[in-house]
Structure formats: C-alpha cells, structure tokens
Amino acid sequence: MLRFYFDLYDDLSSIPDEHGEVFATLGEAREQAVAIVLDVLSEAHAFRPARHGCRIRGEHGEAFCDVRVTLEVIAQQPSPAA
C-alpha cells in the first residue's frame, strides 16, 4: 500500500495535502483525484473562467500526475433585431 498526497490548485491558489491517503495502486489514486476535482468543480463559481486541478504526489514529493479541468463561460450575444 502506498500513501498518495492530493494537492489542490486553481488559477489563484493552491492547498497542499498534509495527510495523504493510502491506496494499493496509482490507478486507484487517480480515480480519487478525479472525484476530488469533480467535487471542487461542483462548488466552483461558474461565472468566471478557471482551471481546477489536483496533483498526485508520493511520500517523497515526487509528482505522479495532474488531473485538471478548465471551466469556460462563453456568453452568446443576442442577435440584433432585423
């Protein structure tokens, strides 16, 4: 079993994971990172573009992968009256 750390970040800040979680494989840790990012995204302010991410790192600080989601808000301009 390996301990993985899930550091959160967005365009403005980052939050390092101080405790980590134990998983049998990196694949399981990736699934957890996806769940974390989706949870963060569900609470994000949808009115500003942003990148949200979770970096998975190991016990010695080595980075294994990043899971990122970019939220874009594209407003459609109303058509001028003909």
Side-chain angles (χ1 to χ4, degrees):
M1 301 294 264
L2 302 168
R3 182 166 295 276
F4 296 95
Y5 295 84
F6 301 89
D7 301 332
L8 299 177
Y9 61 89
D10 63 19
D11 293 332
L12 303 174
S13 63
S14 62
I15 303 170
D17 181 357
E18 302 287 333
H19 305 288
E21 294 183 47
V22 175
F23 291 95
T25 66
L26 178 57
E28 290 176 5
R30 281 190 202 129
E31 289 178 17
Q32 178 66 9
V34 169
I36 289 169
V37 170
L38 291 175
D39 188 47
V40 168
L41 189 60
S42 72
E43 297 177 15
H45 298 283
F47 298 106
R48 70 171 181 85
R51 182 179 335 171
H52 300 276
C54 180
R55 175 168 294 124
I56 302 172
R57 62 182 169 83
E59 293 184 61
H60 304 289
E62 66 277 22
F64 289 115
C65 72
D66 278 48
V67 175
R68 288 188 290 223
V69 175
T70 301
L71 175 66
E72 292 184 60
V73 179
I74 303 170
Q76 300 298 320
Q77 299 297 322
S79 300

